[in-house]
Amino acid sequence: MAWREDVATRPGPAVDGSAYWARPVAGFGDPEATVYVLGLATAAHGGNRTGRAFTGNSSADWLVASLHRTGFANQPTSRHRDDGLRLTGAWLASAVRCAPPGNAPMPAERDACLGHFRDEMGALPQVRVVVCLGAFAWDVALRWAAVRPKPRFSHRGDHAVAGGPVLLGCYHPSRQNTSTRRLTAAMLDDVLCRAHELARTAPRPEAEAGRRCCR
């Protein structure tokens, strides 16, 4: 879309001068992930700049630090594509893969990108939990699973999809939510520990190896 390329010509104040990716951003993580973390949209100066989801912005700082504390990530930071970040048991992606104006995706953008989520879920057969960061991601996951009627989003609320994964709600680690303490580090850790627990107890193929619990 035009915005992702236009915003790359107007770098943010904290950008290091590197060239912007300015293309759609795929998910990344462990191909044997049991937990899929679904965000809102590619950030204009985060994933749109670095080419990796949840990388190079404040939301990434919060999320990856929590993933590290709860045993999903080998390090607490996500700064650029070659920074050595590795995920174990987790996959990260955004519902909308191109940076939208004002980081506020429209329904048409949601619908256009739904197929990417569907394809990744199809390629990640071990996923037992989808952590939905915010009501928008929650709605996308419900649309993917064709859940009717739609249960309301709530922080730490969950919904088991018949024959599929458990959807687990979490406030998005946006600067607005973290600066107002609507979401704290302890709250985010709690949700990811809950994801560990659900991934262990949800039905899974017998051959799947167990994942380590939170420290």
Side-chain angles (χ1 to χ4, degrees), residues 67-116:
L67 289 167
H68 178 66
R69 290 190 297 268
T70 54
F72 287 109
N74 68 318
Q75 63 186 43
T77 57
S78 177
R79 303 290 168 76
H80 55 83
R81 288 167 62 89
D82 300 316
D83 60 7
L85 175 64
R86 296 190 305 277
L87 302 179
T88 300
W91 187 269
L92 306 183
S94 295
V96 171
R97 306 301 175 98
C98 295
N103 290 323
M106 302 297 290
E109 294 165 324
R110 173 201 64 203
D111 296 344
C113 288
L114 184 58
H116 298 301

Side-chain angles (χ1 to χ4, degrees), residues 83-165:
D83 60 7
L85 175 64
R86 296 190 305 277
L87 302 179
T88 300
W91 187 269
L92 306 183
S94 295
V96 171
R97 306 301 175 98
C98 295
N103 290 323
M106 302 297 290
E109 294 165 324
R110 173 201 64 203
D111 296 344
C113 288
L114 184 58
H116 298 301
F117 177 50
R118 182 179 296 112
D119 289 346
E120 285 185 352
M121 286 293 289
L124 298 168
Q126 309 299 344
V127 168
R128 296 294 174 265
V129 181
V130 178
V131 177
C132 303
L133 299 179
F136 188 93
W138 178 261
D139 178 66
V140 166
L142 292 173
R143 288 173 182 272
W144 163 77
V147 174
R148 295 288 188 277
K150 292 183 180 180
R152 184 183 296 273
F153 169 81
S154 64
H155 181 77
R156 211 178 185 275
D158 63 69
H159 176 80
V161 174

Side-chain angles (χ1 to χ4, degrees), residues 1-12 18-25 42-45 47-49 97-103 109:
M1 58 187 282
W3 171 259
R4 74 177 186 231
E5 298 168 4
D6 179 62
V7 75
T9 68
R10 298 177 280 107
S18 58
Y20 273 60
W21 173 259
R23 298 194 291 276
V25 178
T42 296
H45 303 295
N48 190 55
R49 174 172 62 90
R97 306 301 175 98
C98 295
N103 290 323
E109 294 165 324

